């Protein structure tokens, strides 16, 4: 009964590959996010979606393409992976835009070798 | 541009004592602040928040204090318990380009020793 679930939890892949991280929330929330925590431990927003519509794209390289097939899902596809993409990626959701509590998934540890 | 700063990467306290985690911010437009707690291999979870119209908010063992003039807030945990050992992130909503996003500090790793 995990609220925000993302898969895979761990991913090791070679440079140049394309990979996807899937995210689903069963909270009935309208808004979903992708956050990245890099090696310096900063937790930064990458994208936010509200009712399947892109709201925030935080100047992320266009190799990163989020896709929201419905309100409960926000998948992250990454093309041509680079070493610097190694990070922990957190999916999250909130009831709506604005100052609503954000619920995070457990994170997906991506290592590019 | 680090708008939310947590200058102490780690803190160690004895069980039963008070833990004080600090956070500074640079943007005077920030009017709402949150603390998130993160255990290893888990995502951050919301802990407590405070609006800038208040200078204190308390929830059980957790109290957040806000000093707007100093652009400083702190999270007090008393008494500290071993289960409180985690990374604590300070965050604030930042409005830019008509959209609001949460800006996080780097986190402080709290260790509560039995």
């Amino acid at each position: 009964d995990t609220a925000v679930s993302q898969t895979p939890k761990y991913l090791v892949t070679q440079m140049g590959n394309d990979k996807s991280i899937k995210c689903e929330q069963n909270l009935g929330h309208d808004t979903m996010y992708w956050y990245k925590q890099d090696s310096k431990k900063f937790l930064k927003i990458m994208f936010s979606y509200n009712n399947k519509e892109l709201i925030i794209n935080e100047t992320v390289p266009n190799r990163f393409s989020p896709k929201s097939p419905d309100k409960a899902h926000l998948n992250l596809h990454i093309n041509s992976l680079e070493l610097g993409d190694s990070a922990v990626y957190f999916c999250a959701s909130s009831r709506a835009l604005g100052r609503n509590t954000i619920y995070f998934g457990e994170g997906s540890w991506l290592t590019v070798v | 541009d680090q708008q939310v700063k947590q200058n102490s990467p780690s803190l160690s306290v004895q069980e039963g004592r008070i833990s004080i985690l600090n956070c500074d911010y640079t943007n005077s437009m920030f009017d709402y602040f949150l603390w998130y707690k993160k255990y290893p291999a888990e995502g951050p979870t919301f802990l407590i928040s405070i609006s800038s119209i208040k200078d204190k908010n308390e929830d059980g063992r957790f109290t957040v204090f806000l000093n707007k003039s100093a652009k400083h807030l702190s999270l007090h945990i008393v008494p500290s318990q071993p289960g409180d050992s985690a990374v604590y992130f300070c965050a604030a909503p930042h409005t830019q380009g008509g959209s609001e996003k949460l800006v996080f500090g780097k986190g402080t790793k709290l260790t509560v020793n039995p």
Side-chain angles (χ1 to χ4, degrees):
Chain A
D1 59 345
T2 306
V4 181
S5 58
Q6 50 185 113
T7 55
K9 184 156 186 171
Y10 300 99
L11 181 57
V12 181
T13 188
Q14 290 189 324
M15 277 197 317
N17 283 351
D18 303 338
K19 290 294 178 185
S20 293
I21 307 172
K22 297 186 176 181
C23 178
E24 175 181 4
Q25 54 95 2
N26 63 5
L27 297 167
H29 288 169
D30 285 348
T31 307
M32 295 188 72
Y33 312 82
W34 277 106
Y35 279 81
K36 178 181 178 181
Q37 185 177 30
D38 59 25
S39 58
K40 295 181 180 178
K41 304 301 182 187
F42 283 111
L43 190 59
K44 293 183 179 177
I45 191 169
M46 300 173 67
F47 302 100
S48 72
Y49 270 72
N50 189 59
N51 284 318
K52 303 194 299 176
E53 180 184 346
L54 178 66
I55 303 298
I56 292 177
N57 180 342
E58 195 66 10
T59 59
V60 176
N62 58 15
R63 298 182 296 102
F64 290 78
S65 53
K67 285 190 171 47
S68 182
D70 54 58
K71 281 195 327 181
H73 295 84
L74 181 62
N75 303 320
L76 183 65
H77 189 75
I78 315 171
N79 289 327
S80 304
L81 278 156
E82 300 176 357
L83 293 176
D85 297 331
S86 295
V88 185
Y89 293 85
F90 289 98
C91 179
S93 73
S94 62
R95 188 173 55 83
L97 289 171
R99 292 178 181 182
N100 294 282
T101 300
I102 295 180
Y103 296 83
F104 286 85
E106 292 190 336
S108 294
W109 271 252
L110 172 64
T111 303
V112 182
V113 297
Chain B
D1 180 22
Q2 198 180 338
Q3 300 188 75
V4 177
K5 300 179 183 180
Q6 294 176 258
N7 293 319
S8 297
S10 62
L11 174 68
S12 184
V13 300
Q14 284 300 120
E15 181 178 5
R17 308 294 287 266
I18 186 171
S19 296
I20 300 177
L21 297 107
N22 294 305
C23 177
D24 297 294
Y25 60 97
T26 58
N27 191 332
S28 57
M29 299 299 290
F30 286 166
D31 61 359
Y32 186 67
F33 303 90
L34 308 92
W35 285 92
Y36 276 79
K37 176 180 179 179
K38 183 183 179 304
Y39 291 118
E42 294 185 12
T45 55
F46 171 74
L47 185 59
I48 192 170
S49 63
I50 188 167
S51 165
S52 62
I53 62 173
K54 295 184 173 183
D55 54 18
K56 176 183 174 182
N57 188 25
E58 188 174 351
D59 183 2
R61 296 185 297 112
F62 302 90
T63 303
V64 56
F65 294 91
L66 175 62
N67 182 334
K68 289 187 290 293
S69 60
K71 294 194 184 72
H72 176 83
L73 62 155
S74 59
L75 174 68
H76 293 213
I77 307 173
V78 56
S80 302
Q81 299 173 353
D84 296 329
S85 297
V87 177
Y88 290 80
F89 290 96
C90 175
H94 175 51
T95 301
Q96 190 174 30
S99 299
E100 192 169 84
K101 62 180 183 180
L102 264 188
V103 178
F104 285 86
K106 287 179 69 173
T108 296
K109 183 178 181 180
L110 172 66
T111 302
V112 180
N113 301 304

